[in-house]
Amino acid sequence: MKDNITRRNFIKSASIVSAFSIIPSHVLGGMGITAPSDRINLGFIGTGRQARTLQKNFMRSGGMQITSACDVYATNLNHFTELVKSTYAEAHGQEKYKGCKAYADFRELLESPDVDAVVISTPDHWHGVQAVKAAEAGKDIYCEKPLTLTIKEGRAIANAVNKHKRVFQTGSMQRSAPEFRHAVELVRNGYIGEIETIKVSIGGPPEPYNLPGEPIPEGLDWEMWLGPNEYLPYNHELLPNPDDEFWAQWRRFKEVGGGAMTDWGAHMFDIAQWAMDMDKSGPVEIIPPDGKNFEYLTYRYHNGITMTHENFGKNNAIRFVGTEGQIDVQRRNLAPTPVTLKDQVIGRDEIQVYRSVDHYKDWLDAIRNRSTPICDAETGHRTSTVGTLGNIAYELGRPLKWNPKTEKFKGDSDANKRLGRKLKKEWSIRL
């Protein structure tokens, strides 16, 4: 698009992809259009299925430009960068667009002065290393949930973000959805009385890796995919191609993921923590089912509330049980008792939580304002910790006492060994 373009022609060309709200900010400033000095240049680390969803969401938010992407699998990387280029080319009325650089090593992307902030959508076993190094490189960070594979790596991210004064958003986007925000405000304001218990219905913990080894496809650096991890044989279920219809299955396996406990738990435990005002804390005891007194994995909080990992007949849902009613909430579904609470207006003099209506724009706005977005590193770390604590209790099969201030188990050295893992020397970070 030429510099002397008229506003009429600009609007005409931009309307081609109006769904993405792409604004060529290098051309025009003012009148509601993002000026070059205010445009945020994004680099994507990881370009699989989730990254392609994030790419669309960020483009809809506007005020940014994807300038680079990185992946260890050339097939995914090429697909992603071509998608970005074709979208921008159409928006700018060009046949080709060359503004998205491809990297095989995320460290090279972090060195680029053309990148202001990064979007990390790699598997969980990479999050700790990549987010810490991004903070050290002076980049703001959007990192997918669950925040990390281990509790120590989550603490390392929160510390690095704080030390380097980075703006960090965890991809727990349910916090920006109206049904969850309303449920939280109803709970916080006592509309169902005192909370007695919270039930979280999600899948279970991970299993040991058991997939058979397969030939490594051309263009895949498998050693780099493993990164800080110990060796696992390649299997295509861990790393689908762009045209595969299934999601990557690494979440199923304890070596690289935390099962549904940290996957969906990063959404549902997150809302439970938010409702209890526990974003900077966590449970003090975790009790696995024993066939006697505890039918379900049970978390106890210092305020007396218990939370169970329990299927109560709804998938990926939360049930808040109070002395005067209850609230069931899922994505796009709020079912309170009494039902009139669904339309209850929260008054100005009542507790109102942080309001975000767009999880991605919320982060971009926070970058410009140098403020804290709705789900910062500390919040993402504390939520991820809840799921990981449950996995440790399931694995050990005994009650555990947890100190959320020191982030250590009380009097249990065996459990404390599971708070971290040994990273390969090349990928060591301060834990």
Side-chain angles (χ1 to χ4, degrees):
M1 186 174 286
K2 297 180 180 179
D3 288 344
N4 63 354
I5 188 170
T6 66
R7 179 169 297 279
R8 179 177 298 175
N9 288 337
F10 164 71
I11 293 174
K12 181 179 178 181
S13 63
S15 68
I16 295 173
V17 287
S18 59
F20 294 106
S21 299
I22 300 173
I23 298 171
S25 58
H26 62 286
V27 177
L28 295 170
M31 297 292 290
I33 294 177
T34 309
S37 61
D38 200 33
R39 185 182 62 213
I40 298 168
N41 292 334
L42 298 184
F44 272 65
I45 301 176
T47 60
R49 185 171 178 174
Q50 181 63 15
R52 295 192 291 273
T53 298
L54 292 172
Q55 172 241 343
K56 294 178 182 178
N57 289 333
F58 277 110
M59 284 183 165
R60 287 190 184 100
S61 299
M64 46 65 62
Q65 183 167 326
I66 301 173
T67 59
S68 57
C70 172
D71 205 295
V72 299
Y73 190 20
T75 298
N76 279 341
L77 179 60
N78 293 338
H79 180 84
F80 182 90
T81 54
E82 288 306 312
L83 181 62
V84 171
K85 290 176 183 178
S86 64
T87 303
Y88 281 137
E90 189 175 10
H92 294 181
Q94 300 173 342
E95 290 186 6
K96 293 183 178 181
Y97 179 86
K98 299 181 180 180
C100 186
K101 190 171 182 179
Y103 295 91
D105 191 322
F106 75 92
R107 291 170 293 189
E108 295 180 6
L109 183 150
L110 292 179
E111 292 174 357
S112 172
D114 294 330
V115 175
D116 302 313
V118 295
V119 177
I120 299 174
S121 55
T122 50
D124 301 350
H125 70 276
W126 259 119
H127 289 181
V129 171
Q130 290 172 337
V132 167
K133 291 188 178 298
E136 292 172 345
K139 312 300 183 183
D140 295 316
I141 305 156
Y142 182 103
C143 185
E144 263 305 337
K145 42 60 59 182
L147 193 61
T148 50
L149 187 63
T150 72
I151 292 172
K152 283 188 176 182
E153 288 169 52
R155 173 48 56 203
I157 289 179
N159 288 347
V161 166
N162 183 59
K163 176 180 179 181
H164 298 284
K165 296 179 172 55
R166 296 297 91 204
V167 177
F168 189 102
Q169 180 86 298
T170 311
S172 298
M173 78 291 187
Q174 287 183 173
R175 290 207 175 206
S176 297
E179 64 273 19
F180 291 104
R181 180 173 60 252
H182 191 50
V184 167
E185 290 183 338
L186 289 173
V187 170
R188 291 268 197 109
N189 285 289
Y191 280 96
I192 59 172
E194 296 293 324
I195 298 299
E196 295 179 328
T197 190
I198 302 171
K199 300 180 181 183
V200 177
S201 177
I202 55 174
E207 59 189 83
Y209 187 69
N210 57 13
L211 295 178
E214 297 175 347
I216 298 173
E218 184 178 355
L220 170 61
D221 185 342
W222 184 241
E223 289 292 336
M224 191 64 169
W225 188 92
L226 291 168
N229 246 38
E230 295 299 321
Y231 182 81
L232 296 174
Y234 164 81
N235 185 285
H236 75 283
E237 289 190 33
L238 296 178
L239 185 58
N241 289 316
D243 55 353
D244 286 328
E245 296 183 357
F246 63 91
W247 285 91
Q249 295 298 301
W250 48 263
R251 291 178 177 85
R252 286 169 42 196
F253 306 108
K254 63 181 295 185
E255 292 82 359
V256 284
M261 286 292 289
T262 60
D263 182 14
W264 273 99
H267 291 304
M268 299 305 171
F269 289 137
D270 184 60
I271 301 302
Q273 289 259 121
W274 195 19
M276 288 187 285
D277 197 14
M278 289 286 171
D279 282 347
K280 303 296 184 286
S281 187
V284 296
E285 189 174 10
I286 310 95
I287 308 165
D290 59 10
K292 298 177 182 178
N293 299 318
F294 294 89
E295 184 177 0
Y296 306 103
L297 177 80
T298 300
Y299 297 88
R300 284 179 173 163
Y301 286 78
H302 68 78
N303 57 12
I305 295 176
T306 61
M307 179 170 66
T308 57
H309 174 220
E310 173 182 351
N311 186 342
F312 54 86
K314 295 183 179 181
N315 293 329
N316 299 323
I318 309 165
R319 172 170 291 171
F320 297 97
V321 181
T323 55
E324 300 175 21
Q326 78 175 35
I327 298 170
D328 288 1
V329 61
Q330 299 167 284
R331 291 184 181 178
R332 295 172 293 280
N333 184 22
L334 179 65
T337 304
V339 69
T340 53
L341 291 178
K342 189 171 184 178
D343 299 315
Q344 178 67 46
V345 176
I346 305 299
R348 291 184 178 181
D349 59 341
E350 295 182 282
I351 297 172
Q352 295 187 3
V353 297
Y354 186 122
R355 182 180 178 85
S356 164
V357 297
D358 184 323
H359 206 63
Y360 317 98
K361 187 175 184 298
D362 178 65
W363 176 56
L364 297 173
D365 288 345
I367 290 175
R368 294 187 181 91
N369 298 328
R370 307 316 297 171
S371 58
T372 302
I374 193 168
C375 200
D376 64 353
E378 183 70 29
T379 299
H381 163 57
R382 294 293 185 166
T383 290
S384 180
T385 293
V386 174
T388 302
L389 289 173
N391 280 340
I392 294 173
Y394 272 126
E395 183 177 354
L396 295 177
R398 63 173 182 269
L400 301 170
K401 300 283 189 180
W402 176 250
N403 186 330
K405 292 184 178 180
T406 63
E407 294 186 306
K408 291 183 179 180
F409 293 104
K410 297 180 180 179
D412 197 324
S413 59
D414 192 24
N416 281 322
K417 291 177 182 177
R418 289 163 167 77
L419 297 178
R421 59 178 174 147
K422 185 177 180 180
L423 301 174
K424 291 180 181 177
K425 185 176 181 180
E426 181 182 7
W427 305 113
S428 62
I429 55 176
R430 185 179 181 84
L431 298 176

